[in-house]
Amino acid sequence: MNSFAVKPSFSRGLSRGLWRDLSCAVLLLMAAACTTKKQPVTQIVVAVDSDLSVPTELDTLKVEVTGAVNMPSAQADLTQQALPRSLSLVHSGGPLGPVTVTVSGLRGASVVVTREAKVSFVQDQSLQLRVFLGRACAGSKDNCASAGKTCDNGQCIDPTIANLPTFGGDVVPFGRGGDGAVDAAHGGGGNDGGADASMSTPDSGTTPADSGTPPVDGSATTPDTGTPTNAPPVCTINAPQDGDSFNMGATISFQGSCNDPESGTLTTGLSWTSSLDGALAMRASFTRNNLSVGTHSITLCARDPLKLTLQGCSSPLSITIGAALPAITATISSLQQNGSSTQPFATGGGAITVMGTGTGATPLTLSWKDSISGALGTGASVMLAAPVAGKHVVTLTVVDAQSRSATTSSTFSVLGGGQTQLISPYTNVNTTVAGNGSAVVPLVAAISSTVYAADTLQHVYGFDGTMLAANATLMVNHPPLTEVVQALAFDVTNKHAYLGTKGGYQVCDFAVSTGIDSTTCMLFNGTNGGNSLPSVDIRAIVRLGSSLLVGTSNGLFSTTTIAGSSTGTKRLNGIEITALAVRMGTTAYIGSNGNGIYHFDPMNGGQTRNFTMGDGLPSDNVRAVAVNEAGDAVWIATDAGIARYNPSNDNITVWKTNSVPAPGLGSNDVRDIKVTRSTINSITRDVIWIATSAGVSRFDPSIPSFTTFTVADGLPSNSVRSITFVNGTKVFATDGGVALYTGL
C-alpha cells in the first residue's frame, strides 16, 4: 500500500486561496519538517473548479483518496472562499500508485456531483491533477460508478490517467461555459484545463521542508531559480473595429491574435471579455449574435504559457449594439383598373394601378416588376399603362436602409376582346379526337397556320391553329400507321412529312396547302445490321442541312437520302435518344435518357461532345431540347427541371420549382420546352414555354419570372405533353385534349 499525507495549501508554488480546513492527516508530513534544507518532493496537486454556482448550488468540496495506507480525506467550505481550490497529496513512502482520488461537490449534506481519477505519483516530481465538476455530470455518479467509470462532460469514461502534467506553481480558473472549455482532468483535450497545465513551468522537484506554519498573509512563495525575466503575451483585436455599431441580433465576427515573446503564437489560454456581457469566448475567432444593447468595451487576453499567473491583454475597443430593427415586410395592398378591383381585367379597360407598402429601417425602396411587361418603376404606387392579354405576376421588392429585402407577388389576368378565359380548350378538335377513341394528345407540331396533332391510337390530325371554331381533319390513319406516332417533322422545301413511330419512320408527301398525303407514305424499318437503323423505336426526327437525323431508342441514325432510307450512318450506339434540335442550321443537340445531352457537328467529322449532370445539368434524363433564334441559348428539359446551355462558354444555368431568384416552375417533371420571340413594350426578347406534369409554365429569363397555367386558367388537363406555336398562338397538347392561348 502507498503511504502519503495531505499537505497543507501553503507548499511552494501554490497560489493563495487554497484549502485550509484539512484533516489531521497533514501532520504525517510534518514529522521531519523542522529544517529549511531543500529536498525533492513527490506530490500531486489536486486543483478543483466548477461551472456550478457557489454557494447556491455548491457550498462544500470533499476529496477522498483510496489505495493508500491511511485513506486520507479533506473538506473545504466554499462559503468562505471561491473556486478554484487546491490541495497537495504528498507521497511519503511505498509504491507510487495507483491511487483513486474522488472529488465531490456538495450542497449541504447532499452530493451534487462527483469525479474520480486513478493516478500514480512520479518519484521526485510535482504533478497536477485538474478536476472539473461540470454541470453536465451532476447526478451521474451512480450511473458511471456502476460501470467502473467516471463522468466527463456528461459521458461515462475510464477514470485512469496515464500521465499527469507537471505542476507549474500556479492554479488558475478553468475555462467554463459552452465555448470549448474542456475538463482536462482526463486528458486535457480542450481549449483550457490540462492543456494549460501541460505548458506550465515544470517544478524543480525540490521544495523547502514545510515548518507547518503558513506565511502571515497566506500567500505562496516561489524561490528564485535565476530564470530570465518572462515577458507577457501581446494580444491584438483585428475585428470588429473600434467604434463599430451593430443592430441587436446582428451576427458579429470577432477575430484576434496573441503572441508570446518566448513561445510564439498562442492558441490556448485566450479569453475575450465584454464590459457588459462578461466572458465571451476562449479562442482566436468566433461569432456572436446575442450581445446586449449598449456600448461594450471588448478585450482579448492570453495567459503566459510559462507562467500562468502572467497575462497580456489587448487595448480595449468599443462597439455599440443598437436596438432591434423593425421587421422587413412587403405588402401589395391594391390592384385596380379604372378604380375597380374586379378581375379579370381587360386589355381595353385602361391602365392598371398597383399599390403597396413596406416596413423596415427607413428609408425604404419599393421596386415593382411584371412577369410580362418587366420593370414597372419604384414607389408606393405604379401603373401598367397598356396591359396586354395574359396571366401576369406583379412582384414588389422592398429594400431597407440596412440592405435587407422582402418580396411579395400577386397574380392577375388580363383578357383580350371577346375572351372569357385565358386558355380555350379546342373543343372541335378534342371532340374529333375523342370520337376516334382517345382524349390524350401527346404530340403537336405546326407548319404555317396548320397544327398537326398525334393521339395515342395511331391517328394524325390537322387543324387551323388560328381559328378556334375550325374542325380537325384526319390526315393519317392506320394503315399506313401501324404504331403510335412519337415524332413529327416537316420539310416544306422538299415537301416531306416525317412521322416517327415505334415501328420505324414514315415519309409522306406534304404540302402546306393540303397537308399530309397519307396515300404516299413509305415505311422505313430495316434493322438488318450494318448501316441499317439501330432500332425501329423512333423518338425524334429532324432535318440538318442535307441530312436527315433520326433518333432511336438504341442510337442516332443519319442518312443523306432525305426522302427516307433504312441505310445510313449509325452513331451513339446503345444510347436512348429522346430529342433532337438544330442550331443555326449547322449543328444539332441530341437529348438522351440517362446520358445527358450531346452536341453533334457533321461539318467536323461528325464529332460529338457530351454534357451530363457532372457538367451542371439537373438530370441526365433529357426529355426535350430547343434552340433560340440567335443560337446563343440551348434550352434543355429534364425530369428534374430545366437548364440553359450557352454554346459560347459552356455555361449551364438550372431552374427548378424552388430556384432563386425565380421560383415558380410548375413542376420539375418537364416533358417539352419551346422558345418564342415576343415583343413587349417595343422590346423583343425570348420567352420560354415549358410543358410539365403540373401545367404549362411561361418563363421570361430577362426579368426573370415564371408564370404557370393550370386547369384553373382553362387547360383541359394539368398533364401537358407537348407545345407548339402558330402565328403567335400557343398550342398545348394535354392528357385531356388540345388548348390554345393567345396571350403573351
Side-chain angles (χ1 to χ4, degrees), residues 75-124:
Q75 190 163 298
D77 183 356
L78 297 182
T79 64
Q80 301 300 313
Q81 189 171 331
L83 294 170
R85 305 293 293 275
S86 65
L87 62 80
S88 178
L89 303 177
V90 181
H91 183 266
S92 60
L96 296 172
V99 296
T100 299
V101 179
T102 302
V103 181
S104 301
L106 295 81
R107 170 65 173 146
S110 300
V111 175
V112 177
V113 60
T114 296
R115 295 291 305 275
E116 288 187 353
K118 185 176 289 186
V119 297
S120 295
F121 292 86
V122 176
Q123 187 65 43
D124 296 337

Side-chain angles (χ1 to χ4, degrees), residues 526-538:
T527 57
N528 298 321
N531 294 325
S532 62
L533 286 168
S535 168
V536 296
D537 187 357
I538 310 300

Side-chain angles (χ1 to χ4, degrees), residues 424-427 429-430 439 441 444 451 453 463 716 731-734 736-740:
S424 302
Y426 209 133
T427 305
V429 172
N430 295 339
V441 180
V444 288
V451 176
F463 57 91
V731 183
F732 308 133
T734 79
V738 180
L740 303 182

Side-chain angles (χ1 to χ4, degrees), residues 152-280:
D152 177 47
N153 197 26
Q155 304 293 321
C156 292
I157 67 169
D158 187 343
T160 302
I161 304 174
N163 298 294
L164 290 174
T166 300
F167 175 56
D170 292 292
V171 176
V172 296
F174 295 21
R176 309 187 191 190
D179 189 45
V182 176
D183 180 355
H186 292 276
N191 294 333
D192 198 5
D196 296 333
S198 65
M199 293 187 295
S200 301
T201 304
D203 200 321
S204 63
T206 61
T207 182
D210 198 325
S211 64
T213 304
V216 174
D217 62 356
S219 62
T221 59
T222 303
D224 185 359
T225 61
T227 304
T229 301
N230 182 28
V234 176
C235 295
T236 302
I237 297 177
N238 301 315
Q241 301 301 310
D242 188 39
D244 281 354
S245 295
F246 304 90
N247 292 108
M248 186 176 70
T251 299
I252 305 172
S253 175
F254 291 84
Q255 298 178 7
S257 62
C258 293
N259 186 275
D260 183 68
E262 292 77 31
S263 303
T265 301
L266 302 180
T267 58
T268 60
L270 309 183
S271 60
W272 292 78
T273 57
S274 159
S275 58
L276 296 184
D277 292 340
L280 298 179

